[in-house]
Amino acid sequence: MELRHLRYFVAVAEEGSLSVAAQKRLHTAQPSLSRQIHDLELELGVQLFVRGPRGIELTPSGRVFLDHARVALLQVEAAAEAARRAAQPAKSAFSIGFLTGYEMDWLPAVMNILRGKLPSTEITIRSEDSPDLAAALTRGKLDLAFMRPEKSTAGLQFKLLRHDPILAMMPRDHPLAARSAVRPKDLMGQSYIGVSSARAPTLRAAIDDFFKRHGLAIEPAHQAENLAMAVSLIASTGGISLLPLYALNLIPKTIVSRPIQGAPPMVDLVIGYNENNRSPLLQFVLSRVDEIKFQALGNEGR
């Protein structure tokens, strides 16, 4: 797989048209672009696009791949900039981690805050599960992480960014999709897709506590190791899962979300850092947390 495949794929996905992407974004011939997309689908072993009433549309696999392709291109740009800076006099370094999927909302805001520091700082980006981010902070491999409050990890401090409600997500044709909200008792008897206690312990604990409060004895029919796998299992099995608000950025049109009636389970998004890290740049970013929140969330107040 080459970078051009990712660039071509993202252009087609964002334009919703092979011809528009070829002419306006990529300045290439449409037949050539079609071959590149076909080659990418062959290499991945999945279909990324289908033709719909409004033009070319992403499949569930394509929707999941799009988010990762965007992040990969962002990371390549960051790597290229780091390489250029490495040829210059020695500079400071700063590493930022993201719970996979949050880059879309928060990375632009952080980079805007750091823009004035970029000429003298090498910025690196990592995308991982929250427990891995906590371990990297502890080992000094990361300076800052957008993550869950992994409070079992000693030596870490957290600044709250927002409380994310957990939503019920299901196929568009699921019987519960006809409701404006899902009652806790509606989850009984459903084919439930759970989340991993190892890869997402904070989310799993919030869901388990919610089930306990409502007296729900629910055993998962399937277990997802990550968000992409959860989305894929919802689409392929017709099951229902409980996922945080940010998952709306990643679900295809064939999957819908419904709020949980009453007091829904919540999970926190925080900025985590090692309390022993004395980096001046870390202190600078921590002092601008309110500005980062405003840029990422606007006036939504979430």
Side-chain angles (χ1 to χ4, degrees):
M1 186 184 307
E2 300 180 15
L3 286 177
R4 59 187 170 85
H5 290 125
L6 298 183
R7 294 191 180 99
Y8 289 175
F9 166 73
V10 170
V12 174
E14 291 179 349
E15 297 295 340
S17 166
L18 281 165
S19 60
V20 172
Q23 295 171 11
K24 294 185 177 181
R25 291 275 294 272
L26 302 171
H27 308 292
T28 188
Q30 182 176 333
S32 174
L33 177 57
S34 296
R35 286 195 300 272
Q36 298 293 336
I37 296 298
H38 179 65
D39 290 345
L40 178 59
E41 290 179 323
L42 285 178
E43 183 169 354
L44 294 175
V46 297
Q47 186 176 5
L48 298 173
F49 294 104
V50 293
R51 293 197 175 276
R54 291 178 293 181
I56 194 166
E57 297 180 357
L58 288 165
T59 64
S61 295
R63 178 67 60 180
V64 172
F65 187 65
L66 175 60
D67 179 60
H68 292 280
R70 283 170 169 159
V71 171
L73 291 174
L74 277 174
Q75 291 177 330
V76 168
E77 291 176 10
E81 181 61 25
R84 286 189 288 268
R85 290 198 301 270
Q88 299 172 1
K91 302 175 182 179
S92 59
F94 193 71
S95 298
I96 309 169
F98 290 90
L99 175 57
T100 302
Y102 275 107
E103 300 91 337
M104 294 179 66
D105 290 334
W106 296 92
L107 180 56
V110 176
M111 295 307 288
N112 282 338
I113 294 297
L114 292 173
R115 194 169 302 280
K117 307 288 184 179
L118 291 180
S120 60
T121 305
E122 178 182 346
I123 307 293
T124 59
I125 308 297
R126 290 172 60 169
S127 175
E128 296 178 310
D129 292 330
S130 190
D132 291 335
L133 294 174
L137 287 171
T138 300
R139 296 195 304 267
K141 300 296 185 181
L142 287 175
D143 293 292
L144 189 76
F146 290 72
M147 57 189 296
R148 303 295 179 215
E150 306 292 345
K151 296 180 179 178
S152 61
T153 307
L156 300 188
Q157 296 292 321
F158 305 103
K159 282 184 174 288
L160 179 68
L161 293 173
R162 71 179 184 187
H163 305 290
D164 278 350
I166 295 173
L167 308 174
M169 301 197 183
M170 66 205 80
R172 186 172 293 277
D173 58 358
H174 193 282
L176 293 181
R179 298 180 178 271
S180 59
V182 173
R183 298 170 299 181
K185 67 179 182 180
D186 293 332
L187 298 172
M188 291 294 295
Q190 301 296 328
S191 178
Y192 175 67
I193 298 163
V195 298
S196 169
S197 59
R199 307 315 311 157
T202 305
L203 174 60
R204 174 64 176 269
I207 294 172
D208 287 348
D209 180 68
F210 171 74
F211 287 164
K212 184 177 180 180
R213 284 189 285 113
H214 289 276
L216 303 176
I218 297 178
E219 292 295 329
H222 307 278
Q223 179 168 287
E225 294 299 313
N226 51 53
L227 181 57
M229 185 176 179
V231 171
S232 178
L233 285 170
I234 293 171
S236 61
T237 69
I240 187 169
S241 189
L242 300 184
L243 299 173
L245 176 68
Y246 84 100
L248 294 178
N249 290 333
L250 307 176
I251 62 174
K253 294 178 181 179
T254 55
I255 294 177
V256 298
S257 70
R258 294 292 180 264
I260 297 174
Q261 195 175 83
M266 307 287 287
V267 65
D268 290 343
L269 174 67
V270 300
I271 281 182
Y273 60 97
N274 192 316
E275 61 186 11
N276 295 317
N277 189 334
R278 299 292 181 258
S279 164
L281 194 51
L282 171 62
Q283 300 308 313
F284 170 77
V285 174
L286 293 176
S287 72
R288 307 288 289 275
V289 168
D290 287 343
E291 188 175 343
I292 293 172
K293 289 167 62 176
F294 180 80
Q295 289 196 30
L297 305 177
N299 294 315
E300 295 177 5
R302 293 186 295 175

